[in-house]
Amino acid sequence: MLMRHIRYFIAVAEELSFTRAAERLHIEQSPLSRSIRQLEDDLGVRLFERNSHGTRLTWAGQVFLEEARRVLAAVEQARAGARAAATGYRGLLRIALSDGISPSHLSNLLARCREESPEVEISLFEVTLAQQLKGLREGDYDAGFAKAEHPGEGLLATPAWSEPLVVAVPARHPALIHPELSLMELLSHPLVLCDPNACAGCSRQLDRLLRAAECEVRIAERVASHDLLMALVAAGYGLGITTRTHLSLWRHPDVVSRPLAGEVPPLTTYLLRRDAEDSVQLRSFVERLRETTMPNLEKA
């Protein structure tokens, strides 16, 4: 099995058209079709079904596509590592990011790493929480950041930083008569909340907070990004729950911030990594994390 065949397969699988895949790869269609047949012969399975309606993946093809992408990503990482080593880099850290990581905390940490260890290359991967956990266990990532305090067997979760929660309220909303909002008042209005599929760890922490009020939660919309949350709150769909950091970075003229009343736990981001001995590069990264962001955990 050749790497060329894997790249060709991924192109056809994503385009679902041999013609478009050939154009994308800048090759003729006949060698592309020949390569796919050779790959199918090597695997002993059919990867595509072609008929008058077009081209589609078989079930075997769908399974192989996920693994093929992982193989190609691993090869690209190895190639990048070798090139980095040739130019003076002495290590590579692969860090996964999930759950809408705070850019200010992350940028401060990365800036310090670049300043103090320029010889270590840090590659970042934005993935879902499920993909991060799978990748950590299988060695695709060295560590990751997410809002998941219980990542499961074989993984460790260390609090990295915490951020106070605030309520995003539409301008001219009646809830603005309150200088701060209790959970009871918050839950008397429809809410715009994060999607548990896109931001699983964040959703779990917020759901735990809302369940503590023992009231019915009316959900207006579930969103996968903070930009959409702000847009829907500004449009009057409902109140949103976000962090002080995110709200200060994505200001909207039609959205007003209100703090939550009482002792409300902050939203905590965790560093996730395998329950095994860390590499030298990862140990240094964790130490800089402790020095850069962890002192602020108690202040959040």
Side-chain angles (χ1 to χ4, degrees):
M1 186 184 305
L2 302 176
M3 287 304 304
R4 181 180 73 253
H5 291 169
I6 293 178
R7 285 195 295 271
Y8 288 1
F9 164 74
I10 292 174
V12 177
E14 291 178 346
E15 298 291 343
L16 290 180
S17 165
F18 278 76
T19 301
R20 290 195 299 271
E23 293 174 352
R24 168 175 156 182
L25 295 165
H26 305 292
I27 62 173
E28 297 295 327
Q29 188 171 333
S30 56
L32 174 60
S33 298
R34 188 164 53 250
S35 295
I36 296 300
R37 285 197 299 272
Q38 291 172 351
L39 180 60
E40 290 178 326
D41 289 343
D42 286 344
L43 296 173
V45 298
R46 289 186 63 192
L47 299 172
F48 297 99
E49 290 182 357
R50 303 172 71 179
N51 54 42
S52 59
H53 299 291
T55 301
R56 70 181 185 89
L57 283 165
T58 63
W59 172 241
Q62 294 176 43
V63 173
F64 185 66
L65 177 59
E66 180 178 350
E67 296 302 322
R69 284 170 170 158
R70 289 185 60 242
V71 169
L72 191 60
V75 170
E76 292 300 327
Q77 288 179 8
R79 181 181 289 116
R83 289 173 177 170
T87 58
Y89 285 104
R90 300 185 183 277
L92 173 66
L93 279 179
R94 302 158 300 169
I95 307 296
L97 307 174
S98 307
D99 290 329
I101 297 304
S102 169
S104 58
H105 289 292
L106 183 63
S107 61
N108 290 339
L109 173 62
L110 294 177
R112 180 165 182 176
C113 290
R114 286 171 60 85
E115 179 182 353
E116 298 181 2
S117 294
E119 75 281 0
V120 177
E121 181 182 10
I122 298 178
S123 294
L124 304 175
F125 304 85
E126 290 186 285
V127 296
T128 65
L129 178 58
Q131 290 170 327
Q132 178 175 156
L133 299 181
K134 182 174 184 287
L136 286 170
R137 291 191 174 95
E138 296 181 356
D140 296 332
Y141 310 122
D142 300 297
F145 289 104
K147 295 179 175 67
E149 66 267 49
H150 303 297
E153 184 178 357
L155 298 177
L156 300 175
T158 304
W161 58 76
S162 291
E163 302 165 275
L165 288 169
V166 296
V167 182
V169 185
R172 298 175 296 280
H173 192 281
L176 291 176
I177 65 170
H178 304 287
E180 58 182 19
L181 296 178
S182 67
L183 280 179
M184 295 294 290
E185 173 63 27
L186 175 68
L187 293 177
S188 67
H189 303 281
L191 302 181
V192 180
L193 299 176
C194 54
D195 188 324
N197 294 317
C199 305
C202 179
S203 182
R204 290 172 192 167
Q205 290 193 48
L206 293 182
D207 286 348
R208 186 165 59 243
L209 168 68
L210 298 177
R211 284 198 305 269
E214 299 181 349
C215 293
E216 179 185 1
V217 179
R218 290 184 291 157
I219 300 175
E221 289 289 345
R222 291 277 192 179
V223 298
S225 71
H226 192 267
D227 286 346
L228 183 54
L229 182 147
M230 294 291 281
L232 294 185
V233 170
Y237 278 62
L239 308 187
I241 305 177
T242 183
T243 65
R244 186 185 301 164
T245 304
H246 275 101
L247 202 60
S248 64
L249 290 172
W250 282 276
R251 295 182 182 276
H252 194 291
D254 296 320
V255 176
V256 180
S257 171
R258 284 291 184 268
L260 280 164
E263 295 185 4
V264 177
L267 196 63
T268 301
T269 296
Y270 296 84
L271 173 71
L272 307 184
R273 62 194 195 276
R274 288 185 297 277
D275 187 6
E277 184 176 358
D278 295 336
S279 65
V280 173
Q281 293 84 1
L282 185 54
R283 283 201 300 272
S284 297
F285 183 82
V286 173
E287 183 59 33
R288 289 190 179 91
L289 173 66
R290 291 195 179 102
E291 296 170 353
T292 304
T293 67
M294 290 183 178
N296 298 321
L297 280 170
E298 296 300 324
K299 302 177 184 178

Short mmCIF file of all heavy atoms in Angstrom, two decimals, residues 11-38:
data_model
loop_
_atom_site.label_atom_id
_atom_site.label_comp_id
_atom_site.label_asym_id
_atom_site.label_seq_id
_atom_site.Cartn_x
_atom_site.Cartn_y
_atom_site.Cartn_z
N ALA A 11 -9.06 11.87 -1.43
CA ALA A 11 -9.59 12.89 -2.35
C ALA A 11 -10.89 12.42 -2.99
O ALA A 11 -11.87 13.18 -3.06
CB ALA A 11 -8.56 13.20 -3.43
N VAL A 12 -10.94 11.16 -3.45
CA VAL A 12 -12.17 10.66 -4.07
C VAL A 12 -13.28 10.55 -3.03
O VAL A 12 -14.44 10.89 -3.30
CB VAL A 12 -11.91 9.28 -4.73
CG1 VAL A 12 -13.22 8.73 -5.31
CG2 VAL A 12 -10.86 9.39 -5.83
N ALA A 13 -12.94 10.11 -1.82
CA ALA A 13 -13.94 9.96 -0.76
C ALA A 13 -14.54 11.31 -0.38
O ALA A 13 -15.74 11.40 -0.07
CB ALA A 13 -13.32 9.29 0.46
N GLU A 14 -13.74 12.37 -0.40
CA GLU A 14 -14.25 13.69 -0.02
C GLU A 14 -15.02 14.35 -1.17
O GLU A 14 -15.98 15.09 -0.93
CB GLU A 14 -13.09 14.58 0.43
CG GLU A 14 -12.49 14.11 1.75
CD GLU A 14 -11.31 14.95 2.20
OE1 GLU A 14 -10.76 15.73 1.38
OE2 GLU A 14 -10.90 14.82 3.37
N GLU A 15 -14.61 14.08 -2.39
CA GLU A 15 -15.28 14.69 -3.55
C GLU A 15 -16.46 13.86 -4.02
O GLU A 15 -17.40 14.39 -4.63
CB GLU A 15 -14.28 14.87 -4.70
CG GLU A 15 -13.11 15.78 -4.40
CD GLU A 15 -13.52 17.23 -4.26
OE1 GLU A 15 -14.63 17.58 -4.70
OE2 GLU A 15 -12.73 18.02 -3.70
N LEU A 16 -16.40 12.53 -3.75
CA LEU A 16 -17.40 11.59 -4.28
C LEU A 16 -17.56 11.76 -5.79
O LEU A 16 -18.67 11.69 -6.34
CB LEU A 16 -18.74 11.75 -3.55
CG LEU A 16 -18.74 11.27 -2.09
CD1 LEU A 16 -20.10 11.46 -1.46
CD2 LEU A 16 -18.29 9.81 -2.00
N SER A 17 -16.43 11.99 -6.43
CA SER A 17 -16.40 12.15 -7.88
C SER A 17 -14.96 11.92 -8.33
O SER A 17 -14.05 12.61 -7.86
CB SER A 17 -16.86 13.54 -8.30
OG SER A 17 -16.51 13.82 -9.65
N PHE A 18 -14.75 10.96 -9.22
CA PHE A 18 -13.41 10.71 -9.72
C PHE A 18 -12.93 11.89 -10.57
O PHE A 18 -11.74 12.24 -10.57
CB PHE A 18 -13.39 9.41 -10.54
CG PHE A 18 -13.28 8.18 -9.70
CD1 PHE A 18 -14.39 7.70 -9.01
CD2 PHE A 18 -12.09 7.49 -9.58
CE1 PHE A 18 -14.30 6.56 -8.22
CE2 PHE A 18 -11.98 6.35 -8.80
CZ PHE A 18 -13.09 5.89 -8.11
N THR A 19 -13.85 12.54 -11.27
CA THR A 19 -13.47 13.68 -12.11
C THR A 19 -12.98 14.84 -11.26
O THR A 19 -11.91 15.41 -11.51
CB THR A 19 -14.67 14.12 -12.96
OG1 THR A 19 -15.12 13.03 -13.77
CG2 THR A 19 -14.30 15.30 -13.84
N ARG A 20 -13.76 15.20 -10.23
CA ARG A 20 -13.35 16.32 -9.37
C ARG A 20 -12.10 15.98 -8.58
O ARG A 20 -11.24 16.84 -8.37
CB ARG A 20 -14.49 16.69 -8.42
CG ARG A 20 -15.69 17.34 -9.11
CD ARG A 20 -16.60 18.01 -8.09
NE ARG A 20 -17.15 17.05 -7.14
CZ ARG A 20 -18.28 16.37 -7.32
NH1 ARG A 20 -18.98 16.56 -8.43
NH2 ARG A 20 -18.72 15.53 -6.40
N ALA A 21 -11.98 14.72 -8.14
CA ALA A 21 -10.79 14.32 -7.39
C ALA A 21 -9.54 14.41 -8.26
O ALA A 21 -8.48 14.85 -7.81
CB ALA A 21 -10.96 12.90 -6.85
N ALA A 22 -9.66 14.00 -9.53
CA ALA A 22 -8.52 14.09 -10.44
C ALA A 22 -8.10 15.54 -10.66
O ALA A 22 -6.91 15.87 -10.69
CB ALA A 22 -8.87 13.42 -11.77
N GLU A 23 -9.09 16.43 -10.80
CA GLU A 23 -8.78 17.86 -10.95
C GLU A 23 -8.11 18.40 -9.70
O GLU A 23 -7.15 19.18 -9.78
CB GLU A 23 -10.06 18.63 -11.23
CG GLU A 23 -10.68 18.31 -12.59
CD GLU A 23 -12.02 18.98 -12.77
OE1 GLU A 23 -12.54 19.57 -11.78
OE2 GLU A 23 -12.58 18.92 -13.89
N ARG A 24 -8.60 17.98 -8.56
CA ARG A 24 -8.02 18.44 -7.29
C ARG A 24 -6.57 17.96 -7.12
O ARG A 24 -5.72 18.68 -6.60
CB ARG A 24 -8.89 17.92 -6.13
CG ARG A 24 -8.31 18.04 -4.75
CD ARG A 24 -9.34 17.60 -3.73
NE ARG A 24 -8.76 17.15 -2.49
CZ ARG A 24 -9.45 16.69 -1.45
NH1 ARG A 24 -10.78 16.66 -1.52
NH2 ARG A 24 -8.85 16.28 -0.33
N LEU A 25 -6.30 16.74 -7.60
CA LEU A 25 -4.96 16.16 -7.46
C LEU A 25 -4.04 16.52 -8.62
O LEU A 25 -2.85 16.17 -8.59
CB LEU A 25 -5.08 14.63 -7.36
CG LEU A 25 -5.80 14.08 -6.12
CD1 LEU A 25 -6.16 12.62 -6.32
CD2 LEU A 25 -4.93 14.26 -4.88
N HIS A 26 -4.61 17.17 -9.66
CA HIS A 26 -3.84 17.58 -10.84
C HIS A 26 -3.25 16.36 -11.57
O HIS A 26 -2.08 16.35 -11.97
CB HIS A 26 -2.72 18.56 -10.46
CG HIS A 26 -3.19 19.77 -9.72
ND1 HIS A 26 -3.99 20.74 -10.29
CD2 HIS A 26 -3.02 20.14 -8.41
CE1 HIS A 26 -4.27 21.68 -9.39
NE2 HIS A 26 -3.70 21.34 -8.24
N ILE A 27 -4.08 15.33 -11.73
CA ILE A 27 -3.68 14.14 -12.47
C ILE A 27 -4.82 13.77 -13.41
O ILE A 27 -5.93 14.28 -13.31
CB ILE A 27 -3.35 12.95 -11.55
CG1 ILE A 27 -4.59 12.53 -10.75
CG2 ILE A 27 -2.18 13.26 -10.62
CD1 ILE A 27 -4.39 11.26 -9.94
N GLU A 28 -4.53 12.87 -14.34
CA GLU A 28 -5.56 12.34 -15.21
C GLU A 28 -6.47 11.39 -14.45
O GLU A 28 -6.06 10.80 -13.44
CB GLU A 28 -4.93 11.63 -16.41
CG GLU A 28 -4.10 12.52 -17.32
CD GLU A 28 -4.96 13.57 -18.02
OE1 GLU A 28 -6.14 13.25 -18.32
OE2 GLU A 28 -4.47 14.69 -18.25
N GLN A 29 -7.68 11.19 -14.96
CA GLN A 29 -8.63 10.33 -14.25
C GLN A 29 -8.24 8.86 -14.34
O GLN A 29 -8.46 8.10 -13.39
CB GLN A 29 -10.04 10.53 -14.80
CG GLN A 29 -11.12 9.81 -14.00
CD GLN A 29 -12.51 10.21 -14.43
OE1 GLN A 29 -12.71 11.31 -14.93
NE2 GLN A 29 -13.45 9.32 -14.24
N SER A 30 -7.64 8.43 -15.45
CA SER A 30 -7.32 7.00 -15.61
C SER A 30 -6.30 6.50 -14.58
O SER A 30 -6.52 5.44 -13.97
CB SER A 30 -6.84 6.72 -17.03
OG SER A 30 -5.74 7.53 -17.36
N PRO A 31 -5.19 7.22 -14.33
CA PRO A 31 -4.29 6.72 -13.27
C PRO A 31 -4.91 6.79 -11.88
O PRO A 31 -4.58 5.98 -11.02
CB PRO A 31 -3.06 7.65 -13.38
CG PRO A 31 -3.53 8.85 -14.11
CD PRO A 31 -4.60 8.37 -15.04
N LEU A 32 -5.83 7.73 -11.69
CA LEU A 32 -6.52 7.79 -10.40
C LEU A 32 -7.38 6.55 -10.21
O LEU A 32 -7.34 5.90 -9.16
CB LEU A 32 -7.38 9.05 -10.32
CG LEU A 32 -8.29 9.19 -9.09
CD1 LEU A 32 -7.46 9.19 -7.81
CD2 LEU A 32 -9.13 10.46 -9.19
N SER A 33 -8.16 6.20 -11.23
CA SER A 33 -9.01 5.00 -11.14
C SER A 33 -8.16 3.75 -10.96
O SER A 33 -8.51 2.85 -10.18
CB SER A 33 -9.86 4.88 -12.40
OG SER A 33 -10.72 5.99 -12.55
N ARG A 34 -7.02 3.69 -11.65
CA ARG A 34 -6.13 2.53 -11.54
C ARG A 34 -5.58 2.42 -10.12
O ARG A 34 -5.48 1.31 -9.56
CB ARG A 34 -5.01 2.65 -12.57
CG ARG A 34 -4.14 1.42 -12.67
CD ARG A 34 -3.30 1.43 -13.96
NE ARG A 34 -2.54 2.67 -14.12
CZ ARG A 34 -2.81 3.60 -15.03
NH1 ARG A 34 -3.84 3.45 -15.84
NH2 ARG A 34 -2.05 4.68 -15.13
N SER A 35 -5.22 3.54 -9.52
CA SER A 35 -4.68 3.53 -8.15
C SER A 35 -5.73 3.05 -7.14
O SER A 35 -5.42 2.30 -6.21
CB SER A 35 -4.18 4.92 -7.77
OG SER A 35 -3.09 5.30 -8.56
N ILE A 36 -6.97 3.49 -7.32
CA ILE A 36 -8.04 3.07 -6.40
C ILE A 36 -8.27 1.57 -6.54
O ILE A 36 -8.47 0.86 -5.54
CB ILE A 36 -9.33 3.86 -6.67
CG1 ILE A 36 -9.12 5.35 -6.37
CG2 ILE A 36 -10.48 3.30 -5.83
CD1 ILE A 36 -8.72 5.66 -4.95
N ARG A 37 -8.24 1.04 -7.78
CA ARG A 37 -8.41 -0.40 -7.96
C ARG A 37 -7.27 -1.17 -7.29
O ARG A 37 -7.49 -2.21 -6.66
CB ARG A 37 -8.47 -0.73 -9.45
CG ARG A 37 -9.79 -0.37 -10.12
CD ARG A 37 -9.95 -1.07 -11.46
NE ARG A 37 -8.88 -0.70 -12.39
CZ ARG A 37 -8.93 0.34 -13.21
NH1 ARG A 37 -10.02 1.11 -13.21
NH2 ARG A 37 -7.93 0.60 -14.03
N GLN A 38 -6.04 -0.65 -7.41
CA GLN A 38 -4.90 -1.31 -6.76
C GLN A 38 -5.05 -1.31 -5.25
O GLN A 38 -4.75 -2.31 -4.57
CB GLN A 38 -3.61 -0.62 -7.16
CG GLN A 38 -3.22 -0.80 -8.62
CD GLN A 38 -2.04 0.04 -9.03
OE1 GLN A 38 -1.58 0.91 -8.29
NE2 GLN A 38 -1.54 -0.18 -10.24
#
